Amino acid sequence: MSGTEQSGTILFHSPGSHESWPRELQKALPSYNVHTSFAEVDPDDVVAAVVWNPPSGMLTSMRNLRLIQVMGAGVESLLSDQLPLGVPVARLVDPGLTVRMSEYVLMHCLSLHRQVPDLQRAQRAHDWTYIAPAPPSETCVGILGVGVLGSSCARILSSAGFSVVGWSRSKKTDPGFPCYSGRHELEEFKRRADIIVILLPLTDETENLVDDDFFAGVKRGAALINVGRGKHVVEDALINALDTGVLRHAVLDVFRTEPLPKYHSFWDHPKITVTPHNSSATHPATALEQVVENIKLAAAGLPPKNQVDLERGY
Ligand code: NDP
Ligand code: OXD
């Protein structure tokens, strides 16, 4: 198979989601054959795998693979499997997903800032509890992870009047808000944040980051929004923080096990809001173009856009 051939098989594997994608991909790339069933393709014909949670070992059997395109922003489940050596992995950076995520974070920050969970509790008790409205500038939103999604959230929160701080792995030059980096600056970040938003990738360094030690340095009465991954948070530590008043409320969109099991204690906890990993989603209208472009780049032997750094893990 030559390096610039715009043909071959594209395997699209994302069971139960992204239903319209194979059709859209086929329309955009008519010289390729888009397949959705691994069982029906010759692995040696597959030049691009467009995947979300592929079965273990599937990708290593494809000897002519030039691109692994993940159908999402987070790639941890792919990286936990064995991958074919030298094949670039790209993740999605979808402007539509970014906007939806920013809306979700803004909506819950406003709700927490205006103490909507307390007002709802008061209503259920028929209590006329007056909570004075305060300006958003009095609430500091701390964003763990100021990459594509975190920095978009920072912008929209700042325009809504919130004060914002961030935390990242590398030092940011001039992000437009105070931004801390590295473990040594995490304590200062926690001292400032009234609402903590998790928008980190899941890596060895970030798994279980939010544990008892983390909560020990959090402002008393802070709130948490987790839109990163469930494994960022140690569940017992979260429940303890809520039950002892360290946290006043948690909004959780992601969980260690998804769907969240029917009898999980999070469902009925009075200080937890559960959403079904629907804070945002990828859509062909805003994400197809970069997948098509990446397949063309791969055929030309060029690196894809939004390539994942396999060493770093995101
Ligand atoms: P990016 O890669 O653009 O940003 C990741 C950010 O996390 C960067 O600022 C990075 O720092 C920071 N980071 C990574 N490791 C560390 C660390 N060890 N210590 C401190 N900071 C760290 O990712 P996105 O913004 O696109 O996405 C973030 C995550 O959001 C995804 O990985 C996914 O898990 C989750 N997600 C959830 C969705 C949902 O529906 N709930 C939808 C989409 C994504 P630096 O800037 O220095 O590299
Ligand atoms: C994710 C996504 O990474 O939906 O959760 O993109």
Side-chain angles (χ1 to χ4, degrees):
M1 232 166 275
S2 94
T4 54
E5 207 179 341
Q6 299 277 349
S7 64
T9 295
I10 297 170
L11 182 71
F12 186 90
H13 180 94
S14 179
S17 54
H18 309 115
E19 280 84 7
S20 64
W21 271 79
R23 209 173 43 251
E24 306 265 1
L25 268 179
Q26 187 64 78
K27 210 160 53 181
L29 293 164
S31 60
Y32 289 84
N33 294 314
V34 178
H35 280 273
T36 53
S37 166
F38 179 51
E40 286 168 20
V41 297
D42 178 347
D44 285 350
D45 290 342
V46 180
V47 290
V50 183
V51 293
W52 184 246
N53 295 334
S56 176
M58 183 178 97
L59 298 165
T60 44
S61 66
M62 301 171 181
R63 289 180 300 177
N64 293 305
L65 197 59
R66 297 191 201 121
L67 171 71
I68 300 168
Q69 172 71 59
V70 179
M71 281 297 294
V75 294
E76 75 287 345
S77 67
L78 186 89
L79 300 194
S80 64
D81 193 16
Q82 217 189 339
L83 292 177
L85 279 181
V87 179
V89 175
R91 72 188 189 101
L92 277 185
V93 173
D94 173 358
L97 180 146
T98 304
V99 172
R100 298 289 88 75
M101 179 61 82
S102 308
E103 287 166 0
Y104 179 98
V105 169
L106 175 63
M107 170 177 77
H108 286 288
C109 284
L110 283 167
S111 162
L112 291 164
H113 165 69
R114 295 298 295 260
Q115 295 181 238
V116 171
D118 295 327
L119 291 168
Q120 286 172 334
R121 263 190 290 278
Q123 179 179 349
R124 280 195 294 273
H126 297 198
D127 250 352
W128 185 267
T129 303
Y130 183 78
I131 298 175
S137 55
E138 288 180 12
T139 294
C140 176
V141 183
I143 305 175
L144 292 169
V146 284
V148 174
L149 299 178
S151 53
S152 167
C153 291
R155 276 192 298 278
I156 197 167
L157 288 162
S158 301
S159 356
F162 286 98
S163 82
V164 171
V165 295
W167 185 67
S168 57
R169 188 164 171 266
S170 57
K171 195 90 208 144
K172 302 281 166 227
T173 51
D174 203 17
F177 51 89
C179 198
Y180 302 95
S181 61
R183 285 281 178 149
H184 61 293
E185 292 186 358
L186 187 57
E187 290 307 313
E188 183 55 24
F189 167 94
K190 288 190 285 177
R191 267 194 289 279
R192 294 189 63 174
D194 300 300
I195 299 173
I196 295 171
V197 179
I198 306 177
L199 266 169
L200 292 163
L202 185 65
T203 65
D204 290 347
E205 285 175 28
T206 65
E207 184 165 353
N208 298 325
L209 175 78
V210 179
D211 59 4
D212 287 322
D213 284 348
F214 180 93
F215 285 120
V218 160
K219 257 191 189 182
R220 193 163 179 86
L224 180 76
I225 300 176
N226 187 11
V227 270
R229 287 289 184 260
K231 287 183 179 171
H232 286 132
V233 177
V234 176
E235 294 188 347
D236 287 348
L238 172 64
I239 295 291
N240 188 46
L242 288 164
D243 291 349
T244 56
V246 170
L247 280 190
R248 68 183 162 96
H249 200 84
V251 175
L252 307 176
D253 184 54
V254 285
F255 303 90
R256 286 181 177 256
T257 305
E258 293 182 8
L260 184 64
K262 270 254 176 278
Y263 298 103
H264 197 288
S265 62
F266 285 173
W267 286 112
D268 293 318
H269 197 290
K271 295 182 180 170
I272 292 181
T273 300
V274 168
T275 60
H277 198 144
N278 78 337
S279 54
S280 193
T282 299
H283 199 272
T286 47
L288 184 76
E289 199 179 302
Q290 74 187 265
V291 175
V292 169
E293 188 182 354
N294 275 351
I295 291 169
K296 290 181 179 169
L297 286 169
L302 295 168
K305 292 221 166 127
N306 305 312
Q307 186 166 355
V308 174
D309 180 334
L310 300 179
E311 280 291 300
R312 227 173 41 165
Y314 68 98

